[in-house]
Amino acid sequence: MTSREPILVIKDLHVAVEDKQILKGVNLTINKGEVHALMGRNGSGKSTLGYTLMGHPRYHITQGKVLFKGKDLSEMTADERARAGMYLAFQYPVAIPGVSVSNFLRASVKAVRGQDVPVKEFRKELKEHLTKLGVKEDFLSRYVNDGFSGGEKKRLEILQMALMKPQMALLDETDSGLDIDALKTVSAGITALAGPEMGILLITHYQRILNYVTPQFVHVMQDGQIVLSGSGELAHKLEAEGYDFVTKEPAVATQSRT
Amino acid sequence: MNSDVHTIARETIEDLALKQKTPSWTKDLRLASWEAYLQTPFPTTRDENWRRTVIESLDLSTLKALEFAPSTSGADKSFPACFQSVIKHFSQANSTLSGICYQGNGRPGYIELSDEAKSKGVIFCDIETALANHADLLQPYLAKRNASKENGKFALLTGALFNCGLFLYVPKNVELKSPFVSGIGISTCANTSGDFGGAIFPRLIVVAEPESNVSLVHLTGSADTAGDNDCRSLPASLSASMVDVFVSDGANVSFVELSQFAQNVYAIGTVHNEVARDGKFTAVNVALGGKQVKSDIYTHLQAQGAASEILGIVLGSHDEHYSFNTIQEHNAPDTKSDINFRVALKDNASSVYQGVIKVDKCAQKTDAYQSNKNLLLGAGAKADSIPRLEILADDVKCSHGATVGPVDPEQLFYLASRGLPEKIAEELIVLGFFKKVLDKLTVDGAADWLVEAVSQKIDDSGYCA
Ligand SMILES: Nc1ncnc2c1ncn2[C@@H]1O[C@H](COP(=O)(O)OP(=O)(O)O)[C@@H](O)[C@H]1O
Ligand SMILES: [Mg+2]
């Protein structure tokens, strides 16, 4: 089915913020073409993993390592990772007042693609994505996430992903705060972008989005570790029974490939 | 030819007054300022108003007043690049400009007035031409604060020696949609001869009669360079300017000003904006360069319904120092003032902002707002923000706020995660920081022009270079 070529390999990852240990030995491998869901209670360390993979300077790797396309990530700054094909859709996208969405997108597309896109072509490309995501064109002249509703923020995250065409997408609670229609649109956007060359890590603490974006693998994080991994079915079990049963079962230090 | 500033004697001023085809009262006016100047001590950094402005190092004896020729229409239109760019931006946004005036030392002045402005009785000319042709009209406005000691040493020097500047007079009920564009450029790099720096003393008077509506764009700075290092070792130069704006009953005035001097220039300005009943004054002051840049901006809200909105944008680099003092004076009830100053400092640049809100006992229902935000970009950058409230009325709404700090690391990370290297990300954030303020401008073309000027300084290419 998939080529089984690893795109992201996380080995025994320990991460601290300001001397506070948050991740305590995460192991996870994501191959090309795979969609993985990472679930777990609030505060279990899911966003920390996303920030660390993207290279937030405040999150320090204290042990273990991460290979992205075979390359040690610790050598790369966040912008280098982005240009190499890593993408993080933020749980809480940051507002950049005074910077219009269109200027911002042009700058980032230029940086990621390594060259300027002709204005006309870029406009056309943007318009197509806007239509698909169901957003009006005046969106482009508004300031990045400044006064955006939750749904608008999440749509902008997906729009950026569509333009940047990453090889590894980390989607941190992209489903939270969306009504059902928005959830469908955003999920359709994600599904449309997924492909055989791309890896997706879908971080969520609800099962809801998994009805629209089907993961092959589901992992449960607790207290900075992946304590349970399984197939897509696991998500349904979690939905039905909650996270309580996880604690009772012994931790399964499995790799997703098993 | 150019006269020494420091050795100026009575005769010099008499000569200056004589040389111009002006009435005898101008000589008395200049002399009164000169005498007040002599009685006023040179400022020191101990003066509250001059905090951190290193002015002691300015030796007036090394300055020569530069010469300006009166403006004529049909003169040379080959303006310096920075002024060309102003014309371009505002011409694109407005079909015909209401007027163009350019003054540069050692070159003929240029003046142009649109047919519409002419037919409506507008006066727009350099100050010398105004003294020659419109002396009676100009006199009360020019005289009002010309020798007032509270303006301090440098404004008094301007009152005595003004050698360039502008008179804009808009008659009652006249509304002009497109702006007047004016520029005063000095060549401080090229024209400094030997050990002497150049000095200019611009004097600007804007009068908007009742119910009129006008906007003025003014560019002032070093025409031959901008913001780069080359001028730092050259002799110090001086621009001491004095601006008076009179907004009459129900009039509406917008004033967009950009100053960008080379790094050997001390740029010291004193501005008084007087707003009458139901008048509205809007200004943006953009400062993008100079060795020491200091401006005192007074807004006098004189009658019920008067309102002002003043925006400030400062982008400093290298060792530049900026000092902006704003004074919002509410002298009548139901007046509204709004001040919004944004400062970003690279390298070792520094800034002191002092904002005073003064509310007179009679000025009930005053609504005063003051905000000053500072972004420290350079490792050696420093900013101070000092608000002061003097409120004598008891039923007022006054608020002020200030922030000083680096660019938000979460914003930088967000942009980095989109592939933007730190330098580019920071520039984008700083432009956005300014853009939020520039959005309030209503003069067509102004925001675009200023964003371009600011972005050219951010990445060090310099605006006029
Ligand atoms: N920047 C930070 N500073 C301090 N503590 C943090 C920071 N980021 C996360 N944490 C802590 O790490 C733990 C995991 O947080 P997070 O990764 O956001 O969990 P999740 O995304 O699973 O809800 C929490 O206890 C949280 O308080
Ligand atoms: Mg989270």
Side-chain angles (χ1 to χ4, degrees):
Chain A
M1 189 180 80
T2 57
S3 57
R4 296 256 156 153
E5 193 187 322
I7 190 154
L8 187 71
V9 180
I10 303 170
K11 284 186 189 157
D12 190 32
L13 185 68
H14 288 66
V15 171
V17 180
E18 289 150 14
D19 298 330
K20 183 181 170 196
Q21 200 69 41
I22 299 173
L23 298 187
K24 302 164 182 171
V26 174
N27 291 287
L28 178 65
T29 296
I30 296 178
N31 296 310
K32 281 186 176 176
E34 293 178 354
V35 178
H36 291 239
L38 179 64
M39 305 184 73
R41 284 201 186 93
N42 269 337
S44 57
K46 304 182 299 295
S47 292
T48 298
L49 180 63
Y51 280 139
T52 306
L53 295 175
M54 195 66 238
H56 195 302
R58 220 167 12 169
Y59 294 77
H60 299 288
I61 297 181
T62 53
Q63 194 180 315
K65 66 174 167 185
V66 183
L67 300 176
F68 175 49
K69 299 194 285 185
K71 205 171 169 241
D72 190 341
L73 266 189
S74 64
E75 310 281 293
M76 300 165 84
T77 58
D79 54 303
E80 286 167 346
R81 294 179 201 200
R83 293 196 295 272
M86 179 80 80
Y87 181 79
L88 171 66
F90 283 54
Q91 180 175 3
Y92 304 109
V94 181
I96 319 279
V99 176
S100 71
V101 169
S102 61
N103 277 351
F104 162 62
L105 292 178
R106 258 184 85 76
S108 70
V109 164
K110 182 181 170 186
V112 169
R113 295 189 192 167
Q115 63 186 56
D116 234 332
V117 194
V119 182
K120 256 189 167 167
E121 230 171 86
F122 184 63
R123 281 255 147 204
K124 189 166 160 264
E125 191 179 347
L126 265 181
K127 255 182 128 164
E128 283 168 16
H129 290 302
L130 288 179
T131 314
K132 275 189 217 154
L133 287 170
V135 271
K136 290 199 207 90
E137 217 168 314
D138 68 359
F139 194 65
L140 297 175
S141 53
R142 291 173 64 191
Y143 295 145
V144 177
N145 295 316
D146 196 14
F148 278 26
S149 70
E152 286 168 335
K153 285 183 186 167
K154 298 302 164 91
R155 281 178 162 98
L156 180 57
E157 296 297 285
I158 298 303
L159 172 60
Q160 293 176 66
M161 175 169 142
L163 291 168
M164 293 171 68
K165 303 186 176 72
Q167 286 166 275
M168 182 66 227
L170 314 160
L171 307 177
D172 193 355
E173 310 249 358
T174 302
D175 54 336
S176 67
L178 298 182
D179 62 33
I180 193 74
D181 288 332
L183 180 65
K184 279 182 186 167
T185 320
V186 165
S187 305
I190 297 169
T191 312
L193 294 169
E197 290 303 306
M198 190 180 170
I200 293 181
L201 182 65
L202 202 64
I203 300 174
T204 177
H205 70 265
Y206 299 111
Q207 187 267 342
R208 211 168 58 132
I209 191 172
L210 306 180
N211 294 331
Y212 304 97
V213 183
T214 320
Q216 288 98 342
F217 306 97
V218 174
H219 312 275
V220 180
M221 184 171 263
Q222 185 175 294
D223 192 23
Q225 285 180 317
I226 290 179
V227 292
L228 187 64
S229 292
S231 67
E233 294 300 305
L234 179 55
H236 297 288
K237 187 170 177 191
L238 287 167
E239 174 78 351
E241 303 180 24
Y243 287 110
D244 281 350
F245 82 92
V246 176
T247 2
K248 289 169 199 141
E249 287 184 22
V252 196
T254 47
Q255 288 286 298
S256 61
R257 270 176 287 179
T258 57
Chain B
M1 177 182 110
N2 294 331
S3 47
D4 284 8
V5 169
H6 124 104
T7 52
I8 281 179
R10 226 186 147 78
E11 299 79 57
T12 321
I13 292 164
E14 285 169 354
D15 283 354
L16 193 62
L18 270 178
K19 199 186 69 183
Q20 300 164 343
K21 297 188 295 279
T22 53
S24 61
W25 60 260
T26 57
K27 189 178 85 183
D28 301 337
L29 182 107
R30 287 179 185 272
L31 283 173
S33 299
W34 179 246
E35 270 150 23
Y37 166 82
L38 292 178
Q39 289 159 21
T40 306
F42 201 80
T44 72
T45 37
R46 286 182 305 279
D47 296 331
E48 203 175 320
N49 234 358
W50 288 87
R51 260 181 243 241
R52 288 234 196 100
T53 308
V54 185
I55 198 70
E56 282 104 334
S57 59
L58 176 65
D59 179 359
L60 291 178
S61 70
T62 64
L63 296 176
K64 282 182 192 295
L66 301 176
E67 297 222 327
F68 290 82
S71 310
T72 52
S73 55
D76 185 10
K77 264 188 109 162
S78 58
F79 307 122
C82 45
F83 195 66
Q84 301 272 21
S85 148
V86 187
I87 303 275
K88 188 193 85 191
H89 273 278
F90 288 93
S91 304
Q92 273 168 4
N94 306 269
S95 47
T96 337
L97 296 176
S98 290
I100 298 173
C101 182
Y102 187 79
Q103 300 163 75
N105 60 299
R107 58 171 287 152
Y110 179 86
I111 188 80
E112 186 185 314
L113 194 57
S114 76
D115 292 340
E116 185 191 0
K118 252 184 243 163
S119 69
K120 288 181 170 170
V122 170
I123 296 167
F124 179 64
C125 59
D126 69 81
I127 197 83
E128 197 176 319
T129 305
L131 282 171
N133 300 344
H134 309 283
D136 293 346
L137 184 61
L138 179 58
Q139 199 273 339
Y141 302 109
L142 185 62
K144 184 157 187 182
R145 292 193 175 84
N146 207 61
S148 98
K149 279 191 178 172
E150 70 165 50
N151 289 337
K153 193 101 175 148
F154 287 92
L156 290 167
L157 198 53
T158 309
L161 298 176
F162 57 87
N163 56 357
C164 57
L166 203 66
F167 181 43
L168 172 58
Y169 176 85
V170 188
K172 198 171 171 179
N173 294 327
V174 168
E175 295 197 24
L176 289 159
K177 213 193 153 311
S178 73
F180 291 86
V181 176
S182 143
I184 296 178
I186 53 170
S187 24
T188 47
C189 274
N191 266 45
T192 41
S193 51
D195 295 332
F196 288 89
I200 61 166
F201 303 98
R203 187 80 175 89
L204 277 70
I205 307 275
V206 176
V207 178
E209 292 286 23
E211 307 297 331
S212 65
N213 193 335
V214 67
S215 50
L216 172 65
V217 176
H218 183 63
L219 171 72
T220 167
S222 305
D224 47 2
T225 185
D228 57 18
N229 289 324
D230 301 339
C231 297
R232 279 193 282 183
S233 56
L234 290 166
S237 291
L238 172 70
S239 164
S241 67
M242 198 178 170
V243 178
D244 289 270
V245 178
F246 298 89
V247 183
S248 312
D249 292 359
N252 194 335
V253 175
S254 299
F255 193 175
V256 177
E257 189 187 2
L258 170 70
S259 76
Q260 183 159 34
F261 289 98
Q263 290 182 357
N264 63 328
V265 180
Y266 290 77
I268 298 161
T270 306
V271 181
H272 286 273
N273 308 306
E274 219 180 273
V275 189
R277 176 178 290 263
D278 296 327
K280 172 92 206 263
F281 179 69
T282 311
V284 58
N285 293 274
V286 181
L288 298 183
K291 183 183 173 72
Q292 302 278 323
V293 178
K294 174 173 158 52
S295 277
D296 294 343
I297 302 171
Y298 295 82
T299 308
H300 312 269
L301 301 171
Q302 300 294 68
Q304 207 161 13
S308 69
E309 171 155 32
I310 297 187
L311 313 172
I313 287 196
V314 175
L315 176 61
S317 66
H318 302 93
D319 298 312
E320 294 167 355
H321 173 74
Y322 295 84
S323 165
F324 276 83
N325 299 336
T326 63
I327 301 93
Q328 295 154 268
E329 261 183 29
H330 291 259
N331 296 326
D334 296 313
T335 47
K336 185 175 188 319
S337 73
D338 194 326
I339 291 215
N340 211 321
F341 259 76
R342 295 204 167 182
V343 180
L345 302 167
K346 296 171 58 168
D347 310 322
N348 299 313
S350 61
S351 163
V352 177
Y353 171 79
Q354 304 190 64
V356 184
I357 299 178
K358 278 189 181 173
V359 181
D360 189 88
K361 208 154 59 190
C362 73
Q364 299 294 3
K365 306 281 179 204
T366 279
D367 183 350
Y369 175 79
Q370 184 192 97
S371 155
N372 171 228
K373 293 188 176 177
N374 300 274
L375 277 185
L376 303 178
L377 311 177
K382 272 199 295 280
D384 283 313
S385 188
I386 307 162
R388 205 168 80 222
L389 305 179
E390 295 172 13
I391 298 172
L392 300 178
D394 51 19
D395 181 16
V396 300
K397 204 171 107 195
C398 289
S399 59
H400 64 92
T403 59
V404 178
V407 169
D408 178 2
E410 299 307 320
Q411 291 183 335
L412 283 175
F413 175 63
Y414 187 71
L415 295 181
S417 77
R418 273 48 174 155
L420 300 177
E422 188 168 336
K423 186 172 177 290
I424 294 178
E426 190 176 270
E427 286 178 16
L428 211 54
I429 293 167
V430 173
L431 281 180
F433 172 69
F434 289 140
K435 187 73 180 17
K436 280 289 264 192
V437 167
L438 293 176
D439 281 344
K440 298 174 177 229
L441 292 179
T442 52
V443 183
D444 289 341
D448 287 349
W449 170 54
L450 294 172
V451 165
E452 184 182 304
V454 170
S455 57
Q456 283 178 15
K457 171 148 185 182
I458 289 188
D459 59 21
D460 264 333
S461 57
Y463 187 46
C464 292

